[in-house]
Amino acid sequence: MRAWAFLLPFLLLAPPAFGQGPGEVLARCALLLKGLEVQALYREEGVTLVLLGRGRPYLLLALEGGRPLPYAGPLRGRPLGRRPLPFLPELTLARRVLLLEGEYRCLVLHRGRVVGVLRLDPSLEPIPLEPPPGP
């Protein structure tokens, strides 16, 4: 177990195996991140769920007290009207790209904390959330 913990930082820093450099992947993720719009808002047990995308859903976050947080559960709750959210321009990307089983993953940050993941296929096309959430 300790050997894996020692090797993990080196594995994360390794160049991607698909032929795209980390700079190219990060640039594509940055374009995707800048283009995200609020597609839907849902209210569930005191938490607002925010579905972000551009035509298709790419990121699902929880919003508590005006602060985005990671959310991995299924999308449910009662729909709310769409509105602009002030935290959207504050979303940034981590400097590292993860390579996992046929896809790149870019970590989405809000004030230095990971709040979500954008996924790209080997040709740098965004991978939408699956299955498509919502009604």
Side-chain angles (χ1 to χ4, degrees), residues 17 65 88:
L88 285 179

Side-chain angles (χ1 to χ4, degrees), residues 5 37 40 47 57 60 67 75 81 99 108 113 115 118:
E37 300 171 338
V47 176
L60 179 61
R67 225 175 109 217
L75 183 61
L99 175 62
V108 178
R113 298 178 109 185
V115 295
L118 291 175

Side-chain angles (χ1 to χ4, degrees), residues 40-54:
L41 295 171
Y42 295 88
R43 188 81 175 152
E44 178 192 336
E45 299 176 16
V47 176
T48 300
L49 301 179
V50 181
L51 185 63
L52 299 170
R54 182 126 191 141

Side-chain angles (χ1 to χ4, degrees), residues 17-131:
F18 294 133
Q20 305 291 341
E24 295 172 84
V25 177
L26 281 174
R28 179 67 173 129
C29 282
L31 282 174
L32 181 60
L33 183 66
K34 285 182 183 184
L36 291 180
E37 300 171 338
V38 176
Q39 290 192 317
L41 295 171
Y42 295 88
R43 188 81 175 152
E44 178 192 336
E45 299 176 16
V47 176
T48 300
L49 301 179
V50 181
L51 185 63
L52 299 170
R54 182 126 191 141
R56 298 177 78 180
Y58 296 116
L59 191 59
L60 179 61
L61 307 173
L63 191 60
E64 288 185 35
R67 225 175 109 217
L69 300 170
Y71 184 79
L75 183 61
R76 46 180 187 223
R78 100 182 134 79
L80 302 171
R82 281 195 270 180
R83 62 182 183 263
L85 298 171
F87 72 84
L88 285 179
E90 297 175 356
L91 295 179
T92 59
L93 295 172
R95 293 183 186 179
R96 302 285 182 224
V97 174
L98 303 177
L99 175 62
L100 299 173
E101 297 188 33
E103 67 184 51
Y104 296 106
R105 293 188 182 184
C106 297
L107 303 177
V108 178
L109 308 174
H110 179 260
R111 298 182 182 173
R113 298 178 109 185
V114 176
V115 295
V117 176
L118 291 175
R119 300 167 46 219
L120 302 177
D121 67 18
S123 64
L124 300 186
E125 289 301 313
I127 300 172
L129 295 176
E130 295 293 338

